[in-house]
Amino acid sequence: MSMLQLAPTLDTANGRSVGLQRVVVALTVAVLFAGGGFLLHTEEQGQVIALLAAFVALFALGEKLPAGRRVAALCVAHPGTVNLTAAVMVLAIAAALREEHYTLLMMATVALFATAAAGLTLQMAFAGVPNFAGAAFFAVGSYVAAVLGTSGIPHLLVLVIAGLAAAVLGLLLLLPVLRTRGHYAALVTIAFGLLLRSFLEVNDVLGGPQGMKVPSFSLFGLSFSRVTEIGPYDVSFYLPYALAGCFLFALAFAVVRRLEFSFAGVALDAVRSDEVSASVFGLSIARWKATAFLMGNALIGVAGALYGMMNAFVNPNSANFGDSLIMLSILVLGGLGNLWGAVVASVVILVIPEKLQAIQEFRLVIFALLVIAILRFRPSGLMPRVTRDFSSFAKEG
Amino acid sequence: MDPGLLAQYVFNGLMLGTIYAIVAVGFSLFFGVLDVIKFSHGDVVTVGAFSAFGAAGLVAAAVTLPGPLALALGLLAALGAGAASGMLIGRVLVLPLKNAPAVNVLLATLMAGTVLREVIRLGVPNGGNPKPFPALLPEGVLAAGSFSVGIDSVIILVAGIAVVVATHLVITRTRLGLAIRAVAQDGEVAQLAGISFSRTVLGTFALGSMLAGLAGLMLGLYYREINFNMGVLLGIIGFACAVVGGLGSLIGPILGGFLFAGIQTGVTVVLPFTSAYKDVVAFAVIILLIGLFPTGLIAEKSSERV
Amino acid sequence: MSALLACNGLTMRFGGLTALDGVDIAVGKGETVGLVGPNGSGKTTFFNVLTGLYKPSSGAVRFAEADLFARSPQEIGRAGVARTFQRSRLMLDQTVFDNIAVGALGRLDLGLMTALVRRSRFRRQLSALVEQATALTRRFNPQIAANLFRPAGSFTMIDRRRIEICRALIGAPRLLLLDEPSAGMTHEETRQLMDDLLAFREEMPDLAIVLVEHEMDVIRRISDRCIVLNFGKKIFEGPFDALIADREVQTAYLGGGE
Ligand SMILES: Nc1ncnc2c1ncn2[C@@H]1O[C@H](COP(=O)(O)OP(=O)(O)OP(=O)(O)O)[C@@H](O)[C@H]1O
Ligand SMILES: [Mg+2]
């Protein structure tokens, strides 16, 4: 049987070659992150273009060459090594670029949008519930931070409350979202986004069109905006935000991954792929869609709260439809259900236009055409979701 | 309340409702034949408005035309550009994606709308700013007591209602309409009956997008000002009206259009102090209605076979 | 002993069409009932009504002493009714194991705490399930068991049907509804499938099966009792030999159709 021949040779690998595999994986991830870090840092147009070309080439190699595919498969097979290397690299990049305000601001922005994308992943990629109001729930988080940030409540708790608030607001939509599918459910969220934005604009309690100031995030009495040095090093006050953003993303990543690799993840996939068979096998469609919708909005809300604190202000425009579309596009471009894809897509959509001055004016057209091309020719995204494989878990257990 | 003022509100509401209905009917037509939402529809409205603006404006700058001729030129430009952009998007984007998940099509056409919008913003000189729209209709005011309304507005309203009726006639009385209805019923059966699927679909896109172009012209004539992103909200409202009314039906979206305009106007009339909340209320009602009637007021016929 | 499943006067209308017309069907513990009838006679509709996908217009359904009339699919599924579908409904891009796991979710811990925090508990359940799924699929085709973590879409149509049966069986149902499981199979494959099914049944003597099948050979070999539907009405009930001889059944099939 050909299927048997295809069975992964990893199973038979002995300890030494597993070690070697890990090294290959770690190096690959390190190179990719180093490239990403350099992209964040450089302003030189020639370097930016060369870097982008290198990324495209690497990506193509990883897909077309057997050796490239093998490396990609190794990365899938050793998620622990990938994650560890990624964490180390993030710290290294942050340390290296510690004084660069704008670079760190972008790093934090990417991390927070990727966190929001993790929330959308729960909703759209797992449960199949469309959410065209990502930016609205993100803004809810920022507004909660604005209102509660000065109240004396510890800011960590404010983040939690922001998540809860976004989830509770999502609760209002739950009934229509659960009763509908596809276009109809999408419209419910679109309408909600517009509603929220108009509401924020006309309601003076929350600052009206001018919006509100948001206090800086402070952790155990240490306000991030006052951080100017760590030990002997001068640092940008965006450094703690970049680190906190990445930490938040790591948390969201862990939640999404664990959920995916659990029976709840199977249930979500079953509900999304086929409501008929899911319900015949006893799964409550409403329970799983609601779970994903509320959890997803909570994640988006938390990310939004930190984002608001970083930017120091929030206004109704934060909840605009265009930003919701950007979040969705990150999801689709990266590959529905693949969080590393979401990180890559966040960089593509948020960072590259900032870096390439030539396209600044055309950024929206290019971004729109890019998403159209992806949807048309590669609908599973740059990095398609990898089929869940429980075999390694089962062996360890 | 002063009856004249009330009449004014009613008139405005009718005008809005007509425009919403014209846009919503397009959404419903597309959905009928292809089960897709073409979200670039709102921006096709903008394309129509700018084409009319360009045609009437450019010509008027070159030669002095009598009003009616300039209007006819603007009308042709709006219809032509609307149909062309609608068919183009239908051809290169919507038809190839017709088997993709609903959300993908939604996103792709939203992005197509962004492209249209950006092309206008970057392509039209000073396109980022609002443009004054030429007055192509006869001036003058009709007054009755404290109620007064421009002759141009009356013409626009009457024309708009005529367009809605005409669309209805096209769908119910013509060969194209028959083909559209047949494809909407069952594409495969229609093909067996010798109706070309892709031609009918493109015909539908042309028809619906001509309506959008026309709505653009009407908006320009009515508000005397156009704007590169005037279609965004209108597209969403049109979509909402079509969904609430019932996608795929013809009467539903018209109903939805007047309903939405009615709510917006009603909030302004009944709660003048909170009239700023008219959009909030309108969208809240939309959400509520979808919650209550998950497949629209005029239900879309569907039952999944297992 | 009272029947496991007892339907009385079950009626299902679609607008003007009566797809099930006052059908009485009883199935006992451990019994295998063959359900036959011409195309469009209401066999699939019967399954859909029984599993709660369609709300019946009238009648009564009792299952294991509980009233299951017009209950939700979830309640019915949890009560111990499992099924396969005439048109295969698997998650083709997910692994065989994940597909089969769906059938067992009813008895697994789906709690978020287990998913996110108590991972060792999850792993224990997972290992046990992998073992069960391996054992179960091995009965029907060892190749499936050997490739449990390949996407279901990479298997042949026939294996997909086997996978669907395993998904239905892994939840240890009391009643199994099979809707033309052998469609598209050769005689030999059909025979093999039925042998596997019967062998499995040996170990679960209480499992009741209702089998929709067009192959009369299969019906003869495995059913204890046959029921014939025509235009939504039950026109025959009895042993296979009597079915063959029955006049009304013959006309339904020969002069039948529309
Ligand atoms: N969801 C539905 N809506 C309307 N009519 C339906 C629906 N489901 C089934 N029917 C009709 O009910 C009748 C019985 O169909 P059913 O699928 O139960 O037949 P069947 O016995 O399973 O036939 P086959 O052997 O072809 O599978 C048919 O006339 C069919 O068209
Ligand atoms: Mg059937």
Side-chain angles (χ1 to χ4, degrees):
Chain A
M1 280 258 127
S2 62
M3 263 184 277
L4 282 180
Q5 286 153 10
L6 278 173
T9 44
L10 298 173
D11 294 352
T12 54
N14 59 32
R16 228 183 89 209
S17 72
V18 168
L20 191 66
Q21 289 174 357
R22 293 227 161 98
V23 171
V24 171
V25 170
L27 279 178
T28 312
V29 175
V31 166
L32 290 174
F33 269 83
F38 192 63
L39 178 68
L40 281 173
H41 160 75
T42 186
E43 296 288 338
E44 185 75 40
Q45 292 299 292
Q47 288 178 352
V48 171
I49 292 170
L51 256 181
L52 291 181
F55 270 121
V56 172
L58 259 184
F59 196 79
L61 287 185
E63 219 164 63
K64 296 284 181 303
L65 281 191
R69 281 203 295 268
R70 174 116 176 97
V71 172
L74 284 180
C75 291
V76 171
H78 296 291
T81 311
V82 171
N83 299 348
L84 187 66
T85 315
V88 170
M89 284 308 290
V90 162
L91 290 176
I93 292 170
L97 308 178
R98 62 188 172 272
E99 290 183 58
E100 299 177 18
H101 291 308
Y102 193 55
T103 308
L104 292 165
L105 169 66
M106 257 188 301
M107 189 166 156
T109 305
V110 165
L112 292 175
F113 270 71
T115 308
L120 286 174
T121 297
L122 290 180
Q123 302 173 331
M124 311 219 351
F126 291 1
V129 180
N131 183 355
F132 281 68
F137 290 105
F138 203 66
V140 168
S142 303
Y143 270 100
V144 169
V147 172
L148 296 184
T150 48
S151 67
I153 299 176
H155 281 181
L156 270 182
L157 197 58
V158 170
L159 291 190
V160 174
I161 296 173
L164 289 178
V168 167
L169 224 63
L171 216 54
L172 293 179
L173 299 190
L174 205 53
L175 184 71
V177 163
L178 290 183
R179 292 194 67 185
T180 52
R181 262 177 243 144
H183 310 108
Y184 296 86
L187 176 63
V188 171
T189 58
I190 292 173
F192 172 75
L194 295 172
L195 184 160
L196 188 78
R197 191 182 160 191
S198 326
F199 177 81
L200 292 170
E201 241 161 26
V202 297
N203 191 302
D204 289 329
V205 177
L206 293 171
Q210 272 73 45
M212 297 175 84
K213 275 202 192 130
V214 189
S216 175
F217 187 67
S218 82
L219 192 60
F220 309 122
L222 173 71
S223 170
F224 277 14
S225 65
R226 298 232 189 78
V227 175
T228 52
E229 54 192 24
I230 296 178
Y233 301 107
D234 286 344
V235 300
S236 157
F237 69 90
Y238 282 123
L239 179 69
Y241 279 111
L243 293 176
C246 290
F247 181 72
L248 202 57
F249 174 70
L251 270 185
F253 186 93
V255 167
V256 170
R257 283 285 290 200
R258 287 191 166 195
L259 203 61
E260 182 181 5
F261 283 86
S262 74
F263 291 127
V266 178
L268 285 166
D269 279 330
V271 165
R272 184 195 66 251
S273 342
D274 183 358
E275 292 188 10
V276 167
S277 35
S279 55
V280 163
F281 289 106
L283 293 173
S284 157
I285 309 297
R287 170 186 167 188
W288 290 107
K289 282 190 174 179
T291 304
F293 192 65
L294 297 182
M295 278 181 77
N297 285 335
L299 277 180
I300 299 171
V302 174
L306 194 58
Y307 187 74
M309 289 171 156
M310 179 174 76
N311 280 333
F313 81 99
V314 57
N315 65 20
N317 206 34
S318 317
N320 82 56
F321 186 49
D323 283 4
S324 297
L325 286 185
I326 287 185
M327 288 184 187
L328 268 186
S329 305
I330 287 175
L331 214 62
V332 170
L333 191 67
L336 214 54
N338 187 331
L339 286 189
W340 286 124
V343 173
V344 171
S346 302
V347 171
V348 170
I349 288 179
L350 302 172
V351 176
I352 292 179
E354 299 292 331
K355 290 290 169 183
L356 278 182
Q357 280 133 24
I359 67 165
Q360 290 236 314
E361 175 88 282
F362 304 101
R363 54 189 297 172
L364 264 180
V365 195
I366 292 176
F367 151 66
L369 288 173
L370 189 66
V371 174
I372 288 175
I374 287 281
L375 285 169
R376 178 88 164 67
F377 301 109
R378 201 184 158 105
S380 49
L382 293 174
M383 298 170 68
R385 177 177 173 187
V386 180
T387 304
R388 172 183 38 231
D389 181 348
F390 275 127
S391 52
S392 56
F393 285 80
K395 253 177 286 160
E396 290 166 35
Chain B
M1 179 184 265
D2 173 38
L5 197 58
L6 189 65
Q8 194 80 52
Y9 278 123
V10 172
F11 184 86
N12 289 347
L14 282 177
M15 181 69 91
L16 269 183
T18 311
I19 291 172
Y20 292 164
I22 291 177
V23 178
V25 164
F27 276 107
S28 190
L29 282 177
F30 306 146
F31 189 83
V33 290
L34 217 49
D35 282 14
V36 297
I37 293 300
K38 188 165 150 289
F39 223 135
S40 45
H41 200 52
D43 296 294
V44 174
V45 173
T46 318
V47 168
F50 271 83
S51 306
F53 166 75
L58 285 182
V59 174
V63 284
T64 30
L65 275 184
L69 218 57
L71 179 65
L73 207 63
L75 182 66
L76 272 180
L79 293 178
S85 50
M87 278 169 78
L88 182 73
I89 292 171
R91 176 88 248 172
V92 302
L93 206 55
V94 182
L95 269 177
L97 284 178
K98 71 172 192 282
N99 294 322
V103 172
N104 290 21
V105 186
L106 219 56
L107 196 57
T109 52
L110 274 163
M111 290 301 155
T114 306
V115 173
L116 290 181
R117 203 153 61 235
E118 286 294 295
V119 166
I120 291 174
R121 185 173 73 89
L122 300 167
V124 175
N126 210 356
N129 295 330
K131 303 272 168 212
F133 200 85
L136 302 173
L137 291 172
E139 312 262 340
V141 169
L142 295 179
S146 60
F147 170 65
S148 76
V149 57
I151 295 181
D152 51 352
S153 304
V154 176
I155 296 178
I156 297 169
L157 180 63
V158 171
I161 293 174
V163 165
V164 172
V165 174
T167 309
H168 186 75
L169 291 179
V170 168
I171 298 295
T172 50
R173 299 282 160 81
T174 65
R175 281 184 63 87
L176 175 65
L178 183 69
I180 291 176
R181 278 180 294 140
V183 170
Q185 276 274 301
D186 189 329
E188 276 163 39
V189 173
Q191 265 171 309
L192 289 180
I195 293 170
S196 160
F197 179 76
S198 55
R199 270 185 35 208
T200 308
V201 168
L202 287 179
T204 314
F205 281 137
L207 179 65
S209 307
M210 268 158 71
L211 290 176
L214 195 75
L217 174 66
M218 287 169 58
L219 281 168
L221 290 171
Y222 185 58
Y223 289 113
R224 292 288 182 76
E225 188 179 272
I226 58 175
N227 191 330
F228 77 97
N229 59 15
M230 63 193 264
V232 181
L233 191 63
L234 190 67
I236 295 171
I237 291 177
F239 175 44
C241 297
V243 165
V244 166
L247 279 169
S249 94
L250 194 58
I251 302 297
I254 298 173
L255 215 69
F258 284 103
L259 182 74
F260 199 95
I263 297 167
Q264 284 183 320
T265 315
V267 172
T268 317
V269 173
V270 180
L271 308 164
F273 297 112
T274 59
S275 68
Y277 286 91
K278 68 182 200 304
D279 287 350
V280 177
V281 174
F283 284 116
V285 171
I286 292 282
I287 294 175
L288 203 71
L289 283 178
I290 297 178
L292 293 176
F293 307 95
T295 51
L297 295 173
I298 294 182
E300 174 198 345
K301 31 137 205 41
S302 86
S303 62
E304 196 197 359
R305 296 276 180 115
V306 178
Chain C
M1 188 191 69
S2 71
L4 176 68
L5 171 76
C7 304
N8 288 307
L10 204 55
T11 299
M12 176 77 219
R13 287 188 207 93
F14 296 109
L17 179 91
T18 307
L20 281 182
D21 195 351
V23 171
D24 301 323
I25 289 180
V27 181
K29 246 192 207 168
E31 207 184 4
T32 303
V33 174
L35 184 61
V36 295
N39 289 108
S41 55
K43 306 178 296 290
T44 299
T45 303
F46 174 63
F47 280 9
N48 287 343
V49 165
L50 208 56
T51 48
L53 294 176
Y54 295 163
K55 293 277 163 273
S57 314
S58 61
V61 179
R62 293 194 72 74
F63 179 76
E65 299 310 311
D67 179 8
L68 285 192
F69 180 78
R71 289 301 168 88
S72 71
Q74 286 83 358
E75 282 175 284
I76 296 170
R78 289 194 202 116
V81 181
R83 67 175 288 183
T84 66
F85 295 90
Q86 186 167 356
R87 270 182 297 153
S88 170
R89 301 186 83 113
L90 288 173
M91 306 184 282
L92 294 181
D93 46 3
Q94 312 272 359
T95 61
V96 174
F97 174 76
D98 290 14
N99 273 285
I100 293 177
V102 170
L105 290 179
R107 61 177 161 83
L108 293 172
D109 181 352
L110 302 181
L112 291 180
M113 283 318 277
T114 304
L116 298 178
V117 187
R118 295 184 302 185
R119 295 293 285 181
S120 58
R121 182 180 158 80
F122 158 70
R123 278 170 201 248
R124 272 199 306 279
Q125 292 198 351
L126 179 70
S127 303
L129 189 63
V130 170
E131 245 164 64
Q132 287 164 16
T134 309
L136 186 58
T137 46
R138 188 176 290 133
R139 313 188 71 104
F140 289 90
N141 181 358
Q143 282 302 324
I144 301 178
N147 293 287
L148 207 54
F149 294 99
R150 303 230 143 239
S154 66
F155 288 81
T156 61
M157 285 313 269
I158 296 161
D159 277 340
R160 289 185 203 171
R161 290 199 171 276
R162 295 189 174 114
I163 295 167
E164 244 193 298
I165 293 174
C166 292
R167 176 175 69 177
L169 287 174
I170 193 115
R174 293 205 265 182
L175 172 63
L176 174 66
L177 309 174
L178 299 172
D179 200 347
E180 301 197 29
S182 72
M185 294 190 188
T186 64
H187 277 292
E188 180 51 30
E189 286 159 346
T190 308
R191 199 189 55 76
Q192 189 62 49
L193 179 70
M194 294 306 152
D195 284 347
D196 297 339
L197 206 59
L198 289 178
F200 178 81
R201 244 292 271 291
E202 298 279 284
E203 287 155 39
M204 296 202 62
D206 281 352
L207 173 68
I209 299 178
V210 179
L211 172 73
V212 168
E213 183 54 66
H214 284 299
E215 290 268 351
M216 284 304 166
D217 259 4
V218 175
I219 292 289
R220 179 177 53 88
R221 221 156 60 79
I222 94 162
S223 50
D224 304 323
R225 187 156 52 92
C226 300
I227 290 173
V228 183
L229 290 181
N230 192 27
F231 291 118
K233 285 202 173 67
K234 183 171 84 177
I235 59 168
F236 172 86
E237 176 163 7
F240 183 81
D241 299 333
L243 182 155
I244 294 298
D246 190 273
R247 260 286 165 61
E248 201 177 348
V249 173
Q250 284 169 4
T251 41
Y253 267 91
L254 300 176
E258 318 289 289

